[in-house]
Amino acid sequence: MGWGNARLNEAAAVCAAQLPAIGLIWWIGNLLGDDYAYAGAFGFLSLFALACLLVVAPLILPVLGLAHAMAQLVPAEALARLVVRRARGPLWAWHLLCAAGLGVVWAGLAGLLWGWPFTVTAPLLAALGVLPVLGLGWLRRRTRGFWGVWLPSLFASVGLFLLVFLGGVLATTTGIVEEYEPPALSAEQLTGVWRGEEGAVLSLGTGGRAELTGLPTESGSADRTAEPPFAVCDGTGTWLLDDEGAHDPYGDGPDGRAGVVVRLDGECGQETYWRIGGTASEPELFVWFGDPDAPDLRILTQD
């Protein structure tokens, strides 16, 4: 069967049905991840963004569903038809396998272009083709008009969204999914080279010595709306591990988030408190600069 307008409409509908649930999963994942000590603003902004997306969903979901179908379902069925000519098995099964395989290919490309983790992205993109292929198989046995396709898509979309929402609530209340906790790193684990945007380098050496190149630091300026809201410094200095957050100028005093205090030897910049984030396997150091209403987040990752 070719991909005429009616067939593409069906493909767009079955792809669009799962997108709100996927968006909700992404949103929940962000809430459960590191909020970089800015939960209040990010929580509100993410909730506001989610509400806006739900309002405009009827307009954007058909477009996104069609884009997904053209990127995964349509080429996957073309591959499946080639395979069926030389191998046994139903077309829908090969379509499902090719859609999953194409998702893996797209994950590899995303890893090369944007650095997305392949081990996480590949299963997700492969899974994106499962429900649409099964939905197309269900629709193929029926003759339906426009509303006969999109009304089931709407009901399925709402059902999947509610299922994910209830599952997320259940997982968090029962403790199956735990709230994010920053890693507890020792001074030995922090020792090494940390890199950030625009060539920023912070080398934390043994004995509390530090070397920095192009590193953002507190400028000491009272004008928090200045651009940039930090000083970029080169040179040497000292560092120490503050595992209680007592030196955090924007924290709540002792028992706050642990971090690294970096003090410079020269006149460039002021003492800067880099909070510890990320995970034990992929730790991060981060700091907020500038206006609290529109702050600039800087992140360092360890070599």
Side-chain angles (χ1 to χ4, degrees):
M1 182 183 297
W3 286 91
N5 291 338
R7 187 68 173 149
L8 286 176
N9 181 58
E10 293 175 353
V14 295
C15 287
Q18 63 181 350
L19 296 182
I22 293 171
L24 181 60
I25 292 173
W26 173 83
W27 183 69
I28 293 174
N30 280 345
L31 290 183
L32 295 177
D34 193 351
D35 58 20
Y36 295 106
Y38 213 70
F42 278 147
F44 171 78
L45 289 176
S46 59
L47 184 61
F48 178 74
L50 180 64
C52 291
L53 286 176
L54 291 177
V55 171
V56 301
L59 298 177
I60 64 174
L61 283 181
V63 177
L64 295 178
L66 181 60
H68 178 205
M70 296 299 294
Q72 191 167 12
L73 262 66
V74 173
E77 183 170 277
L79 291 174
R81 291 188 180 279
L82 292 176
V83 174
V84 165
R85 295 175 184 176
R86 299 172 176 81
R88 295 181 179 180
L91 176 62
W92 70 267
W94 284 111
H95 190 188
L96 186 63
L97 184 62
C98 290
L102 194 57
V104 174
V105 172
W106 285 123
L109 183 60
L112 291 174
L113 294 179
W114 304 298
W116 293 6
F118 181 79
T119 55
V120 175
T121 309
L124 291 178
L125 294 187
L128 282 179
V130 174
L131 288 180
V133 170
L134 296 178
L136 275 178
W138 180 74
L139 288 174
R140 182 179 283 114
R141 297 188 297 269
R142 293 161 174 81
T143 301
R144 297 175 178 270
F146 179 86
W147 292 111
V149 171
W150 282 99
L151 282 180
S153 175
L154 173 62
F155 296 145
S157 179
V158 172
L160 288 173
F161 186 90
L162 293 176
L163 183 64
V164 171
F165 177 79
L166 294 176
V169 171
L170 182 63
T172 52
T173 55
T174 58
I176 296 176
V177 177
E178 298 181 355
E179 186 178 355
Y180 170 80
E181 289 289 341
L185 302 179
S186 65
E188 290 75 15
Q189 290 173 306
L190 289 166
T191 300
V193 178
W194 299 78
R195 301 183 186 275
E197 299 177 12
E198 301 176 359
V201 179
L202 172 62
S203 179
L204 303 180
T206 57
R209 294 301 300 171
E211 296 182 3
L212 46 149
T213 302
L215 186 72
T217 62
E218 294 286 356
S219 65
S221 172
D223 184 7
R224 296 202 172 194
T225 62
E227 290 294 336
F230 49 79
V232 179
C233 299
D234 301 324
T236 60
T238 61
W239 72 278
L240 62 88
L241 168 63
D242 179 2
D243 54 11
E244 294 183 346
H247 290 79
D248 188 349
Y250 305 109
D252 299 325
D255 301 324
R257 183 182 282 220
V260 174
V261 182
V262 178
R263 300 187 178 105
L264 286 75
D265 293 333
E267 297 180 356
C268 179
Q270 304 292 321
E271 175 181 297
T272 305
Y273 189 83
W274 291 85
R275 294 167 173 168
I276 296 175
T279 63
S281 60
E282 296 182 0
E284 297 175 342
L285 298 178
F286 69 92
V287 64
W288 292 100
F289 294 106
D291 187 352
D293 295 329
D296 190 334
L297 173 64
R298 294 292 162 147
I299 300 175
L300 303 177
T301 57
Q302 194 172 34
D303 281 354

